[in-house]
Amino acid sequence: MQINWFKYASPATFYPLAGTLARVFGWGALVLAVVGLYLTFFVAPPADYQQGQSYKVMFIHVPAAWMSMFIYVVMALWSASAMIWRTRLSHMMAMALAPTGAIMTFLALWTGALWGKPTWGTWWVWDARLTSELILLFLYVGFMALASAIEDPQRAARACGLLALVGLINVPIIYFSVNWWNTLHQAQSIKANEATMGTSMLVAMLVMTFSFWFYAIAAALTRVRNEILEREAQSEWVAAMLHEGKP
């Protein structure tokens, strides 16, 4: 049986699917977070020979940093889709992703400061990796502010799309900054073809990453449902749904 995926570009069709998926990914995020935290504190080595127990921050910091970049790329793709095909849902999805991306970026910066103090002896340095990550936070905030400042949805979608696409150049700068410049920030511990950490640490890291990923999906889908209700408030299908008492 062939599935017509294009039908889900309609907010009315996507709304109930988003609710189901949000619940599935929300519970999945909770289960993975519990398992990941157990692996972090009870299975992974209690201390690193150089960093001591402070290295445990890594299991929150690294997934948050990964998700901050990944969410921005997905947000930019949805924004480009809104500009090209002018689908209402595309801009709504981009708007729904932005707050979660901003939270992940702030969490990466905050945990990085907590990790940096015992490791580097300072909370913050104008390091290439840290500075470009801070710029990413400003891009998220700017995206949300721009969308809120423009009342016309089509104009907002175009303006936000341009900002998201221009800001996309910052993502590879963040990722490759430790290779391009001589920085305090350590190089990647996990690469496409190798990992420079023990198996128990790697498994804990990946489980925590998937929990963050599932949470981001659940949060974005929940938020886009609110966006749909707000923008489609005058439509017949929303009125019918509210009349029937459906969530």
Side-chain angles (χ1 to χ4, degrees), residues 21 48 162 196 209:
L21 292 176
D48 180 76
L162 287 173
T196 59
T209 299

Side-chain angles (χ1 to χ4, degrees), residues 96-233:
L97 284 163
T100 304
I103 291 171
M104 292 293 177
T105 308
F106 176 80
L107 184 60
L109 291 168
W110 179 52
T111 53
L114 291 178
W115 194 7
K117 179 60 175 176
T119 304
W120 301 336
T122 182
W123 298 102
W124 177 267
V125 291
W126 291 102
D127 180 272
R129 171 66 64 86
L130 276 67
T131 304
S132 53
E133 185 74 7
L134 180 62
I135 292 173
L136 183 65
L137 179 60
F138 293 155
L139 286 169
Y140 276 121
V141 174
F143 183 93
M144 292 184 287
L146 186 61
S148 300
I150 302 175
E151 294 184 0
D152 180 53
Q154 291 188 354
R155 288 182 57 226
R158 288 195 297 270
C160 291
L162 287 173
L163 175 62
L165 291 175
V166 170
L168 198 59
I169 194 174
N170 188 52
V171 174
I173 292 176
I174 296 172
Y175 187 80
F176 292 108
S177 58
V178 292
N179 299 325
W180 292 345
W181 294 287
N182 182 21
T183 68
L184 271 177
H185 198 286
Q186 69 185 61
Q188 289 93 343
S189 298
I190 301 176
K191 299 180 181 178
N193 58 349
E194 63 177 333
T196 59
M197 62 174 62
T199 302
S200 62
M201 296 166 61
L202 178 60
V203 172
M205 177 77 71
L206 293 178
V207 172
M208 289 300 295
T209 299
F210 276 104
S211 73
F212 275 52
W213 189 13
F214 278 31
Y215 165 77
I217 295 172
L221 290 174
T222 301
R223 199 173 289 112
V224 79
R225 279 165 58 88
N226 294 331
E227 286 276 342
I228 290 173
L229 287 180
E230 182 178 347
R231 300 202 179 191
E232 303 285 315

Side-chain angles (χ1 to χ4, degrees), residues 23-117:
R23 288 189 291 272
V24 171
F25 281 103
W27 283 108
L30 179 61
V31 172
L32 287 170
V34 171
V35 174
L37 290 173
Y38 174 81
L39 294 173
T40 297
F41 290 106
F42 299 104
V43 177
D48 180 76
Y49 74 99
Q50 286 183 325
Q51 304 176 58
Q53 294 184 346
S54 65
Y55 95 97
K56 296 278 187 179
V57 178
M58 171 182 69
F59 297 101
I60 301 295
H61 172 73
V62 174
W66 283 346
M67 289 309 303
S68 70
M69 293 183 285
F70 178 73
I71 291 174
Y72 191 90
V73 172
V74 176
M75 185 186 75
L77 292 176
W78 278 114
S79 297
S81 174
M83 293 175 63
I84 296 170
W85 291 289
R86 300 181 182 235
T87 55
R88 292 171 296 168
L89 184 61
S90 295
H91 181 57
M92 292 181 196
M93 281 300 303
M95 282 297 303
L97 284 163
T100 304
I103 291 171
M104 292 293 177
T105 308
F106 176 80
L107 184 60
L109 291 168
W110 179 52
T111 53
L114 291 178
W115 194 7
K117 179 60 175 176

